[in-house]
Amino acid sequence: MVVIFILVAPMVYGDNDITIENAEMRLVISEEGHAKSLIHKATGQECLAVQDSFPVFAVKQSDRLPSQEMLVHPAEPKFLPATKVRRMGNKLKISFRHLSHRVTVRLDITDSYIGFTVDNIKYNGSRLSERLVPPLDELIFLRLPVRERDHFGGWLNVMHDADVAVNVLATNQYPKVDGKPRCGYRIMEARAIDEVKTLGVSAALITTETKHLMDRIQQVEKDFNLPTGVKSRSCEEYKYSVYWPTDITPDNVDRHVQYAKAGGFKLFMISVNSFATVGHFSWNEEYSNGMEDFNKVVDKVTDAGMIPGLHTYFTKADKEDPYVTGTPDHRLNLRRRLTLAEPITRSSTTITVEENPRACTREDGRRILKIGEELITYQDYTTERPFQFTGCRRGQFETTPQARDQGYKFGLLDVDTWTKWVRYDQRTSIQQEVAERIGEIYNQAGLRFIYFDGAEDVPPPYWYNTSRAQKVLYDQLQPPPIFAEAAQRSHFSWHMISRANAFDIQGYPPKQLKSVTRRDPMREARILQADFTKGDFGWIANHPPGYWEEDSVGMQPDAIEYSTSRAAGWSTGTSLWTKLSWSDPHPRSDDIFEVFKRWETAREKNWLSEEQKAALRNPNQEHILLRNENDEFELRPYYQITLLPTKKIRAFHFQRNGKTYVVYWHTLGKGQFLLPIEQQNIKAFGLLDGDPLPIKARGQSIVLPAGSRRYLEFTNLSKQQIIEAFRGLRL
């Protein structure tokens, strides 16, 4: 083995260097604003890839410079580093190349972190006539070349190994925080974007022992009144799976509760689509008594000992909602802004515009123009002058056709990729209005956790609007959710979205569940580990046989066992997305829910050892959780017996107590089959902790009943003989 030592020359500090330190770290910046050192004091480790000219502060201007500089530089984005930094008490005064702006950054030094806040911007340049002060498009108010370590969490923006962690963390929702890869280091930075906000934007630098990182972040959350992401990740409920019915009503809630209890679920998520229209959240006809009916549903869940939660869409409205239909709201988002080049009458079917509509959608269900309070669908458009939308149908979605004059401004409606929805303009008050409605339902019903679906369905800038919309809703929920999940997350979301996102595995045929789990949730679990976060391995749909294809066997117990066991390997759960129309007719529902119950019980009891969890992280080895003769759990690797003469029987073999066992079942219902094995070599069990079942002999074979999962114990036969026997079974 070759051991390579990297020697770092001692840093030479200048008389005018700026030292910023707390109990755990020492950051040194030159008077020119260059990063010189970041020392973790307890270990003495240098955390920066020190360079002679790496600016800690800079400005990125898209195309605007003072007039005299425009004469010199072309109109393209420019990176303008700091040229001088002075410390005055707890403030840094910063000057930049080619700019007359002076930026003040306030320091908040604590034992847990050092905070950086954009405190003031002063312009000292000359103004020509009445021209306004040019804004700073992007102000980089903290920028460090942090050395690579074993792990980088891109969501939390943290570099860490077993010893030391370096974290640049937003302390409010406004900074754009990032960690760009370079050779041997990452540029970890925080930016104030003029389009969003500049003054008051803040971030914290944490440099600590990795084992203390969550404590330091928790202190940041406390000091800045942030959502409690650290506390949420340590709650007991964090590891459980979710029962999620999308068809729940006051009439069928008892049946759903029965299924959820059969699966041992502790978390019960109620789908918004089951009780209301998204937008104004008008009650569905099944909830004719409104909140009274909804409370009854939630109370049934709570009385059964489960924790109720909400799955909701919050960034968009259903096309049938009053936000869209009748009189469309002026706060719906427009993807493109357009101008009438010619007036239109109430019956015009061609609309001529000034702008080239080249980037407008041609997708079905999304071709909708919003002109005032009228919605108009179009068939196509031209991309040469005259620019025209053609095949227009007026007064769609119960709106009223209106004549409009030349020059009227309008736009392309932002219809979601799931075309039943229309997205909100996040710059307006509509998100707050919708959040208050959701919060009222959530709080009155006593719900405890939430799934922010449609979190990705916001206009740019995505890094900001994703977490902004989530926080607007999060702030309405009292008490705060014990945990939350979402379809998309950005840096600031880490404090709210503590179980990351679930996967739409339900969108794939059941036969693909194992491969999709390997491809997506298992890959994501490794990534999220670097962010000190777990993911949800769902959503799994228990589709019955024939749901996807006429000859499909539907969801089977082994697929459920694979998914929920892989989740357990990462100390997290999964979600069962279900309907009574799937569970009731499924011949293996009892087995599916029994598999869930075993694993949920194991989670609740913290039964799995770290060695067992490590084994479950192997994507290529399947396992079965058994309840043995002593009513104790056993975890065994097991293997599918392939090449059976029928898909009606599914079987897996495993070893225990020096013997070979087989678990088998009928995929489509029940029946019996002949297995070419002599009777004295086999025992059959309904459950391993139950009494042996009677076995009938027929010549040199035995007759086995097939239905729910059963277990066979073999003696005097090799594993290969057993496999060949199953390959020779006859129905």
Side-chain angles (χ1 to χ4, degrees):
M1 179 178 67
V2 178
V3 179
I4 300 176
F5 294 94
I6 299 177
L7 299 178
V8 179
M11 176 57 60
V12 177
Y13 299 140
D15 293 338
N16 296 320
D17 286 345
I18 298 168
T19 299
I20 306 168
E21 61 185 324
N22 67 2
E24 295 190 296
M25 64 175 138
R26 180 185 303 113
L27 174 64
V28 180
I29 302 170
S30 73
E31 64 177 330
E32 295 82 16
H34 299 155
K36 299 191 74 171
S37 178
L38 176 61
I39 298 293
H40 177 245
K41 292 182 178 180
T43 62
Q45 292 187 31
E46 172 61 68
C47 298
L48 301 186
V50 180
Q51 299 184 10
D52 292 336
S53 58
F54 192 94
V56 178
F57 311 102
V59 170
K60 180 182 177 183
Q61 290 295 91
S62 296
D63 57 3
R64 294 175 291 193
L65 284 175
S67 299
Q68 63 274 19
E69 298 299 334
M70 293 181 189
L71 303 176
V72 180
H73 301 284
E76 59 184 14
K78 301 164 188 67
F79 181 83
L80 308 173
T83 56
K84 187 175 182 60
V85 178
R86 292 181 299 138
R87 182 171 181 177
M88 302 178 67
N90 69 334
K91 294 184 178 181
L92 301 176
K93 305 288 185 177
I94 308 166
S95 303
F96 299 90
R97 183 182 303 166
H98 302 313
L99 292 174
S100 297
H101 299 73
R102 300 294 182 269
V103 173
T104 301
V105 171
R106 188 183 75 246
L107 301 174
D108 295 290
I109 300 175
T110 75
D111 288 343
S112 296
Y113 59 87
I114 297 175
F116 294 75
T117 301
V118 182
D119 191 59
N120 188 33
I121 298 177
K122 186 177 181 181
Y123 183 70
N124 295 324
S126 62
R127 302 185 187 182
L128 299 178
S129 64
E130 297 300 320
R131 292 184 185 180
L132 299 177
V133 175
L136 301 180
D137 293 340
E138 299 184 25
L139 170 61
I140 306 171
F141 62 96
L142 179 61
R143 181 173 182 265
L144 297 172
V146 179
R147 281 183 176 171
E148 286 283 0
R149 294 181 181 268
D150 293 342
H151 308 287
F152 176 73
W155 181 15
L156 184 56
N157 198 46
V158 59
M159 186 76 74
H160 59 99
D161 55 21
D163 299 321
V164 176
V166 179
N167 184 200
V168 174
L169 180 71
T171 55
N172 55 32
Q173 66 193 78
Y174 304 108
K176 184 177 182 181
V177 171
D178 201 0
K180 299 179 179 66
R182 295 293 185 266
C183 184
Y185 67 97
R186 282 183 182 263
I187 301 175
M188 296 175 63
E189 64 181 21
R191 300 187 180 207
I193 309 298
D194 179 65
E195 179 185 4
V196 174
K197 186 176 181 179
T198 301
L199 295 182
V201 178
S202 60
L205 173 63
I206 300 172
T207 305
T208 186
E209 292 181 74
T210 302
K211 64 183 180 182
H212 296 317
L213 177 64
M214 291 298 104
D215 294 334
R216 305 298 178 257
I217 295 176
Q218 190 167 32
Q219 188 63 49
V220 169
E221 292 178 336
K222 178 181 178 181
D223 291 351
F224 290 88
N225 195 28
L226 304 182
T228 54
V230 174
K231 179 181 176 181
S232 178
R233 284 166 173 78
S234 62
C235 71
E236 180 70 15
E237 297 84 357
Y238 192 68
K239 63 192 177 187
Y240 295 143
S241 296
V242 178
Y243 181 85
W244 177 33
T246 61
D247 62 342
I248 191 168
T249 69
D251 292 335
N252 67 24
V253 59
D254 290 330
R255 185 70 174 138
H256 274 300
V257 167
Q258 184 180 4
Y259 274 121
K261 291 181 69 175
F265 289 94
K266 303 291 188 299
L267 304 173
F268 192 111
M269 186 164 68
I270 299 172
S271 178
V272 65
N273 287 340
S274 66
F275 66 84
T277 301
V278 173
H280 281 77
F281 294 90
S282 303
W283 297 98
N284 295 344
E285 60 182 19
E286 293 86 356
Y287 290 77
S288 58
N289 296 314
M291 198 69 207
E292 180 182 348
D293 281 344
F294 189 69
N295 279 330
K296 288 179 180 178
V297 168
V298 175
D299 288 345
K300 289 282 184 76
V301 173
T302 304
D303 292 345
M306 289 176 283
I307 300 170
L310 177 66
H311 167 274
T312 188
Y313 300 95
F314 67 110
T315 58
K316 52 193 179 183
D318 195 295
K319 284 181 179 177
E320 297 178 357
D321 186 79
Y323 276 134
V324 180
T325 297
T327 303
D329 197 280
H330 62 281
R331 298 166 296 176
L332 299 176
N333 195 52
L334 302 178
R335 297 178 62 199
R336 290 286 309 279
R337 303 284 174 168
L338 301 161
T339 308
L340 285 179
E342 298 177 1
I344 59 171
T345 68
R346 293 183 179 180
S347 58
S348 298
T349 59
T350 298
I351 297 175
T352 306
V353 297
E354 292 289 352
E355 301 85 357
N356 190 334
R358 176 182 54 82
C360 292
T361 183
R362 284 189 165 105
E363 296 173 330
D364 291 343
R366 304 183 76 194
R367 300 191 300 269
I368 303 175
L369 303 174
K370 183 178 182 296
I371 303 183
E373 294 181 347
E374 181 187 1
L375 297 181
I376 303 170
T377 61
Y378 61 90
Q379 187 64 35
D380 206 349
Y381 54 75
T382 63
T383 55
E384 300 289 339
R385 289 194 183 275
F387 301 128
Q388 294 179 327
F389 290 91
T390 59
C392 297
R393 299 181 64 183
R394 306 294 298 277
Q396 299 298 291
F397 300 96
E398 302 178 19
T399 60
T400 302
Q402 295 289 328
R404 298 292 177 184
D405 294 333
Q406 179 185 20
Y408 192 86
K409 299 289 185 180
F410 67 102
L412 174 69
L413 194 65
D414 192 359
V415 180
D416 191 59
T417 50
W418 186 2
T419 58
K420 69 175 295 184
W421 314 102
V422 176
R423 299 168 181 166
Y424 303 138
D425 186 341
Q426 292 295 327
R427 297 166 297 182
T428 70
S429 60
I430 193 170
Q431 188 64 72
Q432 179 70 30
E433 185 174 287
V434 170
E436 290 174 2
R437 288 198 191 98
I438 299 173
E440 185 176 0
I441 294 171
Y442 183 98
N443 298 338
Q444 286 189 31
L447 301 173
R448 299 287 310 285
F449 67 95
I450 192 167
Y451 192 100
F452 295 94
D453 209 340
E456 71 275 24
D457 299 319
V458 294
Y462 300 112
W463 66 267
Y464 173 67
N465 281 328
T466 293
S467 54
R468 176 200 173 273
Q470 291 166 352
K471 190 171 188 300
V472 169
L473 176 51
Y474 188 96
D475 287 345
Q476 298 298 316
L477 308 179
Q478 298 299 328
I482 52 176
F483 70 85
E485 298 181 5
Q488 180 167 289
R489 59 193 186 272
S490 57
H491 172 70
F492 188 76
S493 298
W494 188 93
H495 304 288
M496 297 174 284
I497 311 306
S498 48
R499 279 227 313 195
N501 55 299
F503 287 82
D504 282 329
I505 295 175
Q506 46 87 7
Y508 296 89
K511 63 184 178 182
Q512 296 183 22
L513 176 59
K514 294 178 185 179
S515 61
V516 172
T517 299
R518 284 190 287 267
R519 187 192 70 193
D520 291 330
M522 295 197 74
R523 176 175 61 91
E524 181 81 354
R526 298 181 189 279
I527 295 171
L528 289 173
Q529 188 179 37
D531 289 301
F532 301 87
T533 302
K534 311 295 183 186
D536 185 330
F537 271 55
W539 302 317
I540 304 171
N542 59 330
H543 291 140
Y547 180 88
W548 280 87
E549 300 168 332
E550 186 175 348
D551 61 347
S552 168
V553 299
M555 186 61 68
Q556 292 293 316
D558 61 295
I560 297 294
E561 187 112 40
Y562 181 81
S563 175
T564 192
S565 65
R566 299 311 98 173
W570 293 96
S571 301
T572 186
T574 185
S575 295
L576 178 66
W577 181 59
T578 186
K579 299 179 181 180
L580 292 182
S581 60
W582 299 344
S583 296
D584 285 348
H586 200 308
R588 296 284 72 82
S589 269
D590 289 347
D591 294 295
I592 285 173
F593 284 99
E594 196 262 343
V595 169
F596 269 118
K597 187 169 187 176
R598 292 187 189 188
W599 283 99
E600 290 309 297
T601 302
R603 286 182 174 90
E604 181 182 14
K605 294 183 175 181
N606 296 315
W607 180 81
L608 289 169
S609 67
E610 291 305 314
E611 291 76 15
Q612 288 171 321
K613 289 180 182 180
L616 293 173
R617 294 176 187 177
N618 180 353
N620 300 314
Q621 177 60 66
E622 299 188 47
H623 292 79
I624 185 170
L625 184 62
L626 303 168
R627 191 176 287 279
N628 64 23
E629 299 87 346
N630 298 319
D631 197 28
E632 297 172 340
F633 283 140
E634 287 184 21
L635 183 66
R636 300 287 177 181
Y638 76 152
Y639 309 83
Q640 186 168 3
I641 301 176
T642 58
L643 303 178
L644 299 187
T646 175
K647 66 179 182 181
K648 293 181 179 180
I649 302 297
R650 190 166 289 190
F652 288 73
H653 65 85
F654 58 92
Q655 298 290 313
R656 65 183 298 267
N657 300 332
K659 297 179 182 179
T660 299
Y661 285 75
V662 169
V663 57
Y664 76 95
W665 63 91
H666 198 295
T667 59
L668 300 176
K670 60 182 179 180
Q672 60 183 27
F673 63 95
L674 290 176
L675 191 68
I677 287 179
E678 294 183 356
Q679 186 175 8
Q680 66 268 22
N681 293 328
I682 189 171
K683 290 182 181 179
F685 302 87
L687 296 171
L688 289 181
D689 58 354
D691 295 327
L693 301 175
I695 297 176
K696 295 180 181 179
R698 184 178 297 175
Q700 298 298 310
S701 300
I702 57 172
V703 180
L704 289 176
S708 60
R709 292 206 304 181
R710 291 179 172 87
Y711 298 86
L712 303 175
E713 176 188 293
F714 293 89
T715 55
N716 302 319
L717 292 174
S718 68
K719 180 176 65 177
Q720 192 58 39
Q721 286 175 312
I722 296 167
I723 292 172
E724 293 303 323
F726 266 88
R727 289 174 176 171
L729 69 81
R730 290 181 293 150
L731 293 176

